[in-house]
Amino acid sequence: MKPSLRCALTMLSLLLVCVTRALADTPEDSYIKGYAAAVLERQLGLRGVAVQVTNGVITLPTAIAEAERARVVEALTAVPGVVRVEFADAAPSETATARAKAPRVKVLEELQTGLLPGGQLFKPLIADPRWPHFSTGYQRYVNERQLQDVGAVSFGETFSLYRNKVGPSWWEVGIQAGVFALFDLDAPSMDLINADYFAALFLGYRWERLSALGRIFHQSSHLGDEFVLRNRVQNRVNLSYEGFDLKLSLELPWGFRLYGGGGYLFDRDPSDLKPGSVQWGVEFTSPWPAPQVGFRPIAAVDVQNREENDWHSDISARVGVQFDGVLLTRNLQILLEYFRGHSPNGQFFKEKVDYFGIGAHFHF
């Protein structure tokens, strides 16, 4: 067995172990209490507040002024595991009013059901080079004969069409679609190098911190005319295939997330394209937004291993900041990027690439 494949399978096994150990875990009241006290002191400047937590419900004393309460509720309802925030002296109507002033908490109990519900059960993969979303970026290729300065753009999203509940868990069906394009910024007319078209039908599932995504998808690749006409392509490959994959994701305390899965291709062109693939990774999204600024640090590493490339690892790493609440429910990520491995771009899948970059990524 190849060392990289053995490493991938080991990480998937560790992920499954973490799933079995963490499924029953929820943030304990003591964890929430310490977290809430830190938010009050560091983010809101309120020191010495006696915080009480029972089954995820935060109770605060009368010492907090009425004018401060809406701001306090807004900050504390963002703490992982918090059900609601109450004040010891507040009548039920006052508590409801304070809760109404706070932004809607996106916990599972408040997910919409029915047609076109909004949101996603399976969160986007930050460092996956082929996760459908809107983005634009600059990439600097290292040790590459044909390319140096490259512009990368993508257009796409994930849309839930229908969502419902099964006991304490949720399921949904939806579609993904995206276009991923590269441009040679050193060419006189900034030639289009390659465009990959992706479309998928997916089934999503979520139970507490565990989520899953199964997809049936199509991808096809198309070279840019100017790039071809400048005789920069040898042995053109009409890369096109359908496939299916399954991914599992586990959200851990303190903003960490593990995920992993695999896929299989069919109806392949060229027909000798090997079908198997494995994907896994880790992400960190800080639960601490920077005060007065509204952004939070994020970081992620995505690793993919394909049978076609003898299971060698393709590594994508990204780190930067995320601005929440852009255009209401969306977020904007500004990320420094690094990729090393076989190219994710169309017919160049057998070529090894190494690039640094910076990009802006927009998610619904």
Side-chain angles (χ1 to χ4, degrees), residues 169-208:
S169 60
W170 299 75
W171 67 272
E172 66 184 7
V173 62
I175 57 173
Q176 280 187 326
V179 178
F180 305 87
L182 292 182
F183 296 87
D184 185 357
L185 300 182
D186 296 319
S189 58
M190 296 186 181
D191 298 351
L192 171 65
I193 302 170
N194 180 77
D196 293 331
Y197 294 80
F198 177 90
L201 177 68
F202 73 83
L203 180 65
Y205 174 83
R206 186 177 185 99
W207 177 52
E208 297 183 354

Coordinates of all heavy atoms in Angstrom, one line a residue, residues 169-208:
S169 N -32.8 14.7 14.0 CA -31.9 15.0 12.9 C -32.6 15.7 11.7 O -33.8 15.7 11.7 CB -31.2 13.7 12.4 OG -32.1 12.8 11.9
W170 N -31.8 16.1 10.8 CA -32.3 16.9 9.6 C -31.8 16.3 8.4 O -30.7 15.7 8.3 CB -31.8 18.3 9.7 CG -32.3 19.1 10.9 CD1 -31.8 19.0 12.2 CD2 -33.3 20.1 10.9 NE1 -32.5 19.8 13.0 CE2 -33.4 20.5 12.3 CE3 -34.2 20.6 10.0 CZ2 -34.3 21.5 12.7 CZ3 -35.1 21.6 10.4 CH2 -35.1 22.0 11.7
W171 N -32.5 16.4 7.3 CA -32.1 16.0 6.0 C -32.5 17.0 4.9 O -33.5 17.7 5.1 CB -32.6 14.6 5.6 CG -34.1 14.5 5.4 CD1 -35.0 14.3 6.3 CD2 -34.8 14.7 4.1 NE1 -36.3 14.3 5.8 CE2 -36.1 14.5 4.4 CE3 -34.4 14.9 2.8 CZ2 -37.1 14.6 3.4 CZ3 -35.3 15.0 1.9 CH2 -36.7 14.9 2.1
E172 N -31.8 17.1 3.8 CA -32.2 18.0 2.8 C -31.7 17.5 1.4 O -30.8 16.6 1.4 CB -31.6 19.4 3.0 CG -30.1 19.4 2.9 CD -29.5 20.8 3.3 OE1 -30.3 21.7 3.7 OE2 -28.3 21.0 3.1
V173 N -32.3 17.9 0.4 CA -31.9 17.6 -1.0 C -31.7 18.9 -1.7 O -32.4 19.9 -1.5 CB -32.9 16.7 -1.7 CG1 -34.3 17.5 -1.9 CG2 -32.4 16.3 -3.1
G174 N -30.7 19.0 -2.5 CA -30.4 20.3 -3.2 C -29.4 20.1 -4.4 O -29.2 19.0 -4.8
I175 N -29.0 21.2 -4.9 CA -28.1 21.2 -6.1 C -26.8 22.0 -5.8 O -26.9 23.0 -5.0 CB -28.8 21.7 -7.3 CG1 -29.3 23.1 -7.1 CG2 -29.9 20.8 -7.8 CD1 -29.9 23.8 -8.4
Q176 N -25.8 21.7 -6.4 CA -24.5 22.4 -6.5 C -24.2 22.7 -7.9 O -24.4 21.8 -8.8 CB -23.4 21.7 -5.8 CG -23.3 21.8 -4.3 CD -22.0 21.1 -3.8 OE1 -21.5 20.2 -4.3 NE2 -21.5 21.7 -2.7
A177 N -23.6 23.9 -8.2 CA -23.1 24.2 -9.6 C -22.0 25.2 -9.5 O -22.0 26.0 -8.6 CB -24.3 24.7 -10.4
G178 N -21.0 25.0 -10.3 CA -19.9 26.0 -10.3 C -19.1 25.9 -11.6 O -19.1 24.9 -12.3
V179 N -18.5 27.1 -11.9 CA -17.5 27.2 -13.0 C -16.2 27.7 -12.4 O -16.2 28.6 -11.6 CB -18.0 28.1 -14.0 CG1 -16.9 28.3 -15.1 CG2 -19.3 27.7 -14.6
F180 N -15.1 27.0 -12.7 CA -13.8 27.4 -12.2 C -12.9 27.7 -13.4 O -12.6 26.8 -14.2 CB -13.2 26.2 -11.4 CG -14.1 25.7 -10.2 CD1 -15.0 24.8 -10.5 CD2 -13.9 26.3 -9.0 CE1 -15.9 24.4 -9.4 CE2 -14.8 25.9 -7.9 CZ -15.7 24.9 -8.2
A181 N -12.4 28.9 -13.4 CA -11.6 29.4 -14.6 C -10.3 29.9 -14.2 O -10.1 30.6 -13.1 CB -12.4 30.4 -15.4
L182 N -9.2 29.7 -15.1 CA -7.9 30.3 -14.9 C -7.5 31.1 -16.1 O -7.9 30.8 -17.2 CB -6.9 29.1 -14.8 CG -6.9 28.2 -13.6 CD1 -5.8 27.2 -13.7 CD2 -6.8 29.0 -12.3
F183 N -6.8 32.3 -15.8 CA -6.4 33.2 -16.8 C -4.9 33.4 -16.7 O -4.4 33.6 -15.6 CB -7.1 34.5 -16.7 CG -8.6 34.4 -16.9 CD1 -9.5 34.1 -15.9 CD2 -9.2 34.6 -18.2 CE1 -10.8 34.0 -16.1 CE2 -10.5 34.5 -18.4 CZ -11.4 34.1 -17.3
D184 N -4.2 33.5 -17.8 CA -2.8 33.7 -17.9 C -2.6 35.3 -17.8 O -2.8 35.9 -18.9 CB -2.1 33.1 -19.1 CG -0.6 33.3 -19.2 OD1 -0.1 33.9 -18.2 OD2 0.0 32.8 -20.1
L185 N -2.2 35.8 -16.7 CA -2.1 37.3 -16.6 C -0.8 37.8 -17.3 O -0.7 39.0 -17.5 CB -2.0 37.6 -15.1 CG -3.2 37.2 -14.3 CD1 -3.0 37.7 -12.8 CD2 -4.5 37.8 -14.9
D186 N 0.1 36.9 -17.7 CA 1.3 37.4 -18.4 C 1.1 37.4 -19.9 O 1.9 38.0 -20.6 CB 2.5 36.4 -18.1 CG 2.9 36.5 -16.6 OD1 2.9 37.6 -16.1 OD2 3.1 35.4 -16.0
A187 N 0.0 36.9 -20.4 CA -0.3 36.9 -21.9 C -0.8 38.3 -22.2 O -1.5 38.9 -21.4 CB -1.3 35.8 -22.2
P188 N -0.6 38.7 -23.5 CA -1.1 40.1 -23.9 C -2.6 40.3 -23.7 O -3.0 41.4 -23.3 CB -0.7 40.1 -25.4 CG 0.5 39.2 -25.5 CD 0.2 38.0 -24.5
S189 N -3.4 39.2 -23.9 CA -4.8 39.4 -23.8 C -5.3 38.6 -22.6 O -6.5 38.3 -22.5 CB -5.5 38.9 -25.0 OG -5.2 37.6 -25.3
M190 N -4.4 38.3 -21.6 CA -4.8 37.5 -20.5 C -5.7 36.3 -20.8 O -6.8 36.2 -20.5 CB -5.6 38.4 -19.5 CG -4.8 39.6 -18.9 SD -5.7 40.5 -17.6 CE -4.5 41.7 -17.2
D191 N -5.0 35.4 -21.6 CA -5.7 34.2 -22.1 C -6.4 33.4 -21.1 O -5.9 33.2 -20.0 CB -4.7 33.3 -22.8 CG -4.0 34.0 -24.0 OD1 -4.4 35.1 -24.3 OD2 -3.0 33.4 -24.5
L192 N -7.6 33.0 -21.5 CA -8.3 31.9 -20.7 C -7.6 30.6 -20.8 O -7.4 30.1 -22.0 CB -9.8 31.8 -21.1 CG -10.5 30.6 -20.5 CD1 -10.7 30.8 -19.0 CD2 -11.9 30.4 -21.2
I193 N -7.1 30.1 -19.7 CA -6.3 28.8 -19.8 C -7.3 27.6 -19.8 O -7.2 26.7 -20.7 CB -5.4 28.7 -18.6 CG1 -4.4 29.9 -18.6 CG2 -4.6 27.4 -18.7 CD1 -3.6 30.0 -17.3
N194 N -8.2 27.6 -18.8 CA -9.0 26.4 -18.7 C -10.3 26.8 -17.9 O -10.2 27.7 -17.0 CB -8.3 25.3 -17.9 CG -9.1 24.0 -17.7 OD1 -9.3 23.3 -18.6 ND2 -9.6 23.9 -16.5
A195 N -11.4 26.1 -18.2 CA -12.6 26.3 -17.4 C -13.2 24.9 -17.1 O -13.4 24.1 -18.0 CB -13.6 27.2 -18.2
D196 N -13.4 24.7 -15.8 CA -14.1 23.4 -15.4 C -15.5 23.7 -15.0 O -15.8 24.6 -14.2 CB -13.3 22.8 -14.2 CG -11.9 22.3 -14.6 OD1 -11.7 22.0 -15.7 OD2 -11.1 22.4 -13.7
Y197 N -16.4 22.9 -15.5 CA -17.9 23.0 -15.2 C -18.3 21.9 -14.3 O -18.1 20.7 -14.7 CB -18.7 23.1 -16.5 CG -18.4 24.3 -17.4 CD1 -17.3 24.3 -18.2 CD2 -19.2 25.4 -17.4 CE1 -17.0 25.4 -19.0 CE2 -19.0 26.5 -18.2 CZ -17.8 26.5 -19.0 OH -17.6 27.6 -19.8
F198 N -18.9 22.2 -13.2 CA -19.3 21.2 -12.2 C -20.8 21.4 -11.9 O -21.3 22.5 -11.7 CB -18.5 21.4 -11.0 CG -18.8 20.5 -9.9 CD1 -18.2 19.3 -9.7 CD2 -19.8 20.8 -8.9 CE1 -18.5 18.4 -8.7 CE2 -20.1 20.0 -7.9 CZ -19.5 18.8 -7.7
A199 N -21.5 20.3 -11.8 CA -22.9 20.3 -11.4 C -23.2 19.0 -10.6 O -22.7 18.0 -10.9 CB -23.9 20.4 -12.6
A200 N -24.0 19.1 -9.5 CA -24.3 18.0 -8.7 C -25.7 18.1 -8.1 O -26.2 19.1 -7.9 CB -23.2 17.9 -7.6
L201 N -26.2 16.9 -7.8 CA -27.4 16.7 -7.0 C -27.0 16.1 -5.7 O -26.2 15.1 -5.7 CB -28.4 15.8 -7.7 CG -29.7 15.5 -7.0 CD1 -30.6 16.7 -6.8 CD2 -30.5 14.4 -7.7
F202 N -27.4 16.7 -4.6 CA -26.8 16.2 -3.3 C -27.9 15.9 -2.3 O -29.0 16.4 -2.4 CB -25.8 17.2 -2.7 CG -26.5 18.4 -2.1 CD1 -27.0 18.4 -0.8 CD2 -26.5 19.6 -2.9 CE1 -27.6 19.6 -0.3 CE2 -27.1 20.7 -2.3 CZ -27.6 20.7 -1.0
L203 N -27.6 15.0 -1.4 CA -28.4 14.7 -0.2 C -27.6 15.0 1.0 O -26.5 14.5 1.2 CB -28.8 13.2 -0.2 CG -29.7 12.8 1.0 CD1 -31.1 13.5 0.9 CD2 -29.9 11.3 0.9
G204 N -28.1 15.9 1.9 CA -27.4 16.4 3.1 C -28.1 15.8 4.3 O -29.3 15.6 4.4
Y205 N -27.3 15.6 5.4 CA -27.8 15.1 6.6 C -27.1 15.8 7.8 O -25.9 16.1 7.7 CB -27.6 13.6 6.7 CG -28.0 13.0 8.0 CD1 -29.3 12.6 8.3 CD2 -27.0 12.8 9.0 CE1 -29.7 12.1 9.6 CE2 -27.4 12.2 10.2 CZ -28.7 11.9 10.5 OH -29.0 11.3 11.7
R206 N -27.8 16.0 8.9 CA -27.1 16.6 10.1 C -27.8 16.1 11.3 O -29.0 16.1 11.5 CB -27.2 18.1 10.0 CG -26.4 18.7 11.2 CD -26.3 20.3 11.1 NE -25.4 20.8 12.1 CZ -24.2 21.2 11.9 NH1 -23.7 21.1 10.7 NH2 -23.5 21.7 12.9
W207 N -27.0 15.7 12.3 CA -27.4 15.4 13.7 C -26.4 16.0 14.6 O -25.3 15.6 14.7 CB -27.5 13.9 13.9 CG -27.8 13.5 15.3 CD1 -28.9 13.9 16.0 CD2 -27.1 12.6 16.1 NE1 -28.9 13.4 17.2 CE2 -27.8 12.6 17.4 CE3 -25.9 11.9 16.0 CZ2 -27.4 11.8 18.4 CZ3 -25.5 11.1 17.1 CH2 -26.2 11.1 18.3
E208 N -26.9 17.1 15.3 CA -26.1 17.8 16.2 C -24.8 18.3 15.5 O -24.9 19.0 14.6 CB -25.8 17.0 17.5 CG -27.1 16.7 18.3 CD -26.8 15.9 19.6 OE1 -25.6 15.5 19.8 OE2 -27.8 15.7 20.3

